[in-house]
């Protein structure tokens, strides 16, 4: 999924870029409302995050324009304005959610995952994979979660993609380059540390004993294999 982030504060914009890229989203960032609207028309993102107080065009104006073109694309307002009336205006304009600054990364990720789940369910087609097994886990890509004996595990888009890739090559070694190409994209510069961190985090979520994994095996010097 591609997310358009419209935020005039460079540090916040870069922070959101890094955070959501890690989650597996493709990011298109804009530093003001006018550029954001142009990017929306050009690139048709599946998700929009709008700061309210921006130069050229404020977030409210951008939201009105976007809603005149697309009534369904998810929109989250992000703003230091925390009065109830500001939230009401944002929601009445058609926003799906409103996050006040300062915010925590967990809150942002949780809210974006929640809206992503709704988007994926709404836009699911009969030919798409509704679920697949990974060991004793049942993975639900459109719900961004996996079912385990003792409940559900929340997963990111990237984690879902890694599990899908390994599952599609069960019993075969998937090289590091192959994982990067299929889960990050061909234009992503490979970084072994990035991949190792993702696999380590994934093991903590799905393995009974992450220090002795049985589902995702390391093949030293090559890549990983799903048994």
């Amino acid at each position: 999924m591609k997310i358009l982030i419209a935020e005039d504060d460079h540090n916040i914009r870069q922070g959101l870029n890094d955070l959501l890229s890690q989650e597996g989203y493709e990011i298109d960032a804009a530093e003001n409302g006018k550029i954001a609207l142009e990017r929306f028309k050009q690139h048709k993102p599946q998700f929009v995050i709008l700061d309210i107080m921006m130069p050229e065009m404020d977030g409210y104006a951008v939201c009105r324009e976007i809603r005149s073109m697309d009534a369904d694309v998810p929109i989250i307002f992000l703003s230091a304005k925390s009065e109830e009336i500001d939230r009401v205006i944002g929601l009445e304009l058609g926003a799906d959610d409103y996050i006040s600054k300062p915010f925590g990364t967990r809150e942002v990720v949780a809210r974006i995952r929640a809206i992503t789940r709704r988007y994926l369910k709404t836009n699911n087609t009969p030919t798409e994979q509704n679920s697949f097994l990974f060991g004793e886990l049942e993975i639900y890509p459109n719900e961004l979660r996996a079912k385990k004996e003792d409940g559900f595990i929340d997963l990111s888009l990237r984690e879902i993609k890694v599990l899908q890739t390994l599952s599609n090559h069960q019993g075969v070694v998937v090289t590091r380059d192959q994982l990067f190409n299929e889960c990050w994209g061909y234009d992503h510069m490979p970084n072994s540390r990035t991949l190792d961190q993702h696999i380590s985090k994934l093991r903590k979520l799905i393995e009974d004993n992450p220090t002795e994994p049985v589902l995702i095996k390391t093949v030293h010097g090559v890549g990983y294999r799903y048994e």
Side-chain angles (χ1 to χ4, degrees):
M1 289 179 66
K2 179 181 288 185
I3 293 184
L4 171 62
I5 299 173
E7 167 62 63
D8 64 325
D9 185 302
H10 172 77
N11 292 330
I12 294 177
R13 189 170 65 249
Q14 188 61 50
L16 287 171
N17 189 333
D18 295 343
L19 175 67
L20 298 178
S21 293
Q22 288 292 316
E23 281 283 299
Y25 296 93
E26 182 182 348
I27 306 302
D28 192 1
E31 63 268 29
N32 65 56
K34 185 177 180 180
I35 293 175
L37 190 57
E38 291 172 354
R39 297 273 175 84
F40 182 84
K41 293 176 181 177
Q42 292 172 359
H43 303 144
K44 305 296 183 185
Q46 288 84 40
F47 204 130
V48 181
I49 298 176
L50 292 176
D51 183 23
I52 292 178
M53 304 297 289
M54 290 188 294
E56 303 292 339
M57 289 179 71
D58 65 27
Y60 292 147
V62 176
C63 184
R64 288 190 190 95
E65 291 292 328
I66 288 176
R67 280 288 172 254
S68 70
M69 295 180 283
D70 190 327
D72 300 319
V73 63
I75 297 175
I76 288 182
F77 274 124
L78 191 69
S79 179
K81 301 179 72 174
S82 58
E83 295 295 327
E84 182 180 4
I85 186 61
D86 298 314
R87 293 174 180 269
V88 171
I89 291 172
L91 295 173
E92 286 183 343
L93 286 173
D96 296 83
D97 206 346
Y98 189 111
I99 301 176
S100 298
K101 300 176 185 177
F103 52 82
T105 56
R106 289 184 180 181
E107 177 186 11
V108 173
V109 168
R111 294 194 186 209
I112 287 177
R113 284 186 182 180
I115 292 178
T116 299
R117 290 188 189 101
R118 295 202 295 271
Y119 175 88
L120 291 174
K121 287 180 181 179
T122 301
N123 291 273
N124 186 34
T125 65
T127 58
E128 289 177 331
Q129 190 176 34
N130 291 318
S131 68
F132 63 94
L133 293 176
F134 197 89
E136 295 183 356
L137 296 171
E138 186 157 11
I139 314 297
Y140 298 92
N142 290 342
E143 298 179 22
L144 296 185
R145 63 180 184 172
K147 186 177 182 181
K148 208 173 181 180
E149 287 183 1
D150 54 351
F152 286 92
I153 303 166
D154 287 334
L155 298 168
S156 69
L157 284 173
R158 182 90 68 209
E159 289 160 350
I160 291 285
K161 187 62 178 176
V162 170
L163 292 175
Q164 283 178 322
T165 301
L166 291 171
S167 178
N168 290 339
H169 300 85
Q170 184 173 359
V172 178
V173 178
V174 180
T175 67
R176 290 174 174 272
D177 285 346
Q178 190 175 354
L179 276 170
F180 271 115
N181 290 339
E182 295 194 28
C183 303
W184 275 261
Y186 286 93
D187 58 346
H188 187 90
M189 294 298 292
N191 184 306
S192 294
R193 182 172 174 80
T194 297
L195 180 58
D196 292 341
Q197 287 175 340
H198 272 83
I199 295 296
S200 176
K201 181 183 176 184
L202 195 49
R203 282 172 171 162
K204 290 176 181 177
L205 291 172
I206 68 171
E207 298 277 6
D208 291 331
N209 183 357
T211 60
E212 296 181 8
V214 297
L215 293 174
I216 303 177
K217 295 281 192 179
T218 300
V219 181
H220 293 288
V222 183
Y224 297 92
R225 180 176 61 239
Y226 162 51
E227 301 287 0

